[in-house]
Amino acid sequence: MKAMPRPARPLDTAAADRLCAVAAEAFAARGLEGASLNGILSRARMGKGSFYHRFADKAALHDWVTERLSTALLREIRPPQPPTLTRQSFRDELVGLLARLGHVALTRPELMDLGRMFHNSADAPPERAITTVRRAVNDWIGGVLETGQALGTVRTDLPPDLLTALAITTLTTIDQWALNSKNDTTTRSATATTAIGIFWNLITSDEETA
């Protein structure tokens, strides 16, 4: 009877952290297609044999990095779930989320590579992890806005789908600027916060801005 191949041992923590950081930087800078797998493996000090025991291909590595970084980012920023928001907590919860995002940008800059991967993978096929993340982000934004409309916090003179599309486009623009600006991190964070404040004033109801 032919022996079954032994499954590859999990990467130790240091090797996994190194591979994730190197791959995320490459994918953030050049996208899935443009990133060099040979370059990633060389910088991560991993042999091809070891890599292919654990990953089917470069796309599988991209999925692994996406899932690892998104899990870490969610743990740091703790986004509120739309059904838990109230009229009294709505703005404070979202301001708190932005504050946590700003803190992550200052203290965990490696997690910002996920944002760059997010933006340069807009055409990724539906089975890729980054597409799942994109869908989850867009659904969360839509859920928050619908909840805000129901609570009377967000303007209701625009249909939810149009308001969500405007929000996604605006927030994407702000995020891309913050990720790619040559200004120092503190300045980028402060400017992005100002831009989001302007956006907030555009989407809130007259009662909230009165």
Side-chain angles (χ1 to χ4, degrees):
M1 182 176 177
K2 188 175 179 181
M4 294 293 290
R6 186 180 302 172
R9 288 179 300 175
L11 287 170
D12 65 64
T13 302
D17 289 347
R18 184 168 61 246
L19 176 61
C20 186
V22 168
E25 184 179 353
F27 290 139
R30 291 175 286 279
L32 172 57
E33 297 303 322
S36 165
L37 180 58
N38 287 338
I40 291 171
L41 297 183
S42 175
R43 290 186 58 210
R45 305 195 295 278
M46 173 179 279
K48 281 191 174 182
S50 179
F51 174 80
Y52 283 112
H53 271 298
R54 296 173 172 87
F55 302 97
D57 50 26
K58 185 171 62 171
L61 175 62
H62 192 280
D63 287 344
W64 177 76
V65 170
T66 298
E67 291 164 358
R68 207 166 189 264
L69 292 183
S70 60
T71 297
L73 184 61
L74 285 173
R75 191 164 51 240
E76 293 282 347
I77 64 174
R78 306 182 304 281
Q81 294 307 304
T84 69
L85 298 171
T86 66
R87 185 177 178 88
Q88 292 72 32
S89 70
F90 191 87
R91 180 157 190 165
D92 287 344
E93 288 276 10
L94 297 183
V95 168
L97 172 62
L98 293 176
R100 292 190 292 276
L101 274 169
H103 180 72
V104 168
L106 290 170
T107 61
R108 299 286 303 277
E110 72 277 8
L111 293 181
M112 296 300 98
D113 281 333
L114 178 63
R116 298 181 180 91
M117 291 169 61
F118 183 96
H119 295 308
N120 67 27
S121 301
D123 297 327
E127 67 271 16
R128 296 270 66 93
I130 198 72
T131 304
T132 300
V133 170
R134 183 183 307 282
R135 190 181 305 116
V137 170
N138 291 349
D139 287 349
W140 181 84
I141 292 172
V144 167
L145 292 175
E146 285 197 57
T147 298
Q149 287 184 317
L151 295 171
T153 302
V154 173
R155 62 191 305 158
T156 57
D157 56 342
L158 294 175
D161 57 343
L162 176 56
L163 191 62
T164 298
L166 290 171
I168 290 170
T169 299
T170 302
L171 294 173
T172 296
T173 301
I174 294 170
D175 192 47
Q176 286 180 313
W177 178 88
L179 288 168
N180 298 312
S181 171
K182 301 303 181 184
N183 291 309
D184 62 85
T185 304
T186 302
T187 301
R188 290 201 310 270
S189 179
T191 304
T193 299
T194 299
I196 290 171
I198 294 171
F199 169 69
W200 171 265
N201 289 334
L202 291 175
I203 68 166
T204 48
S205 66
D206 290 339
E207 291 180 32
E208 287 293 312
T209 55

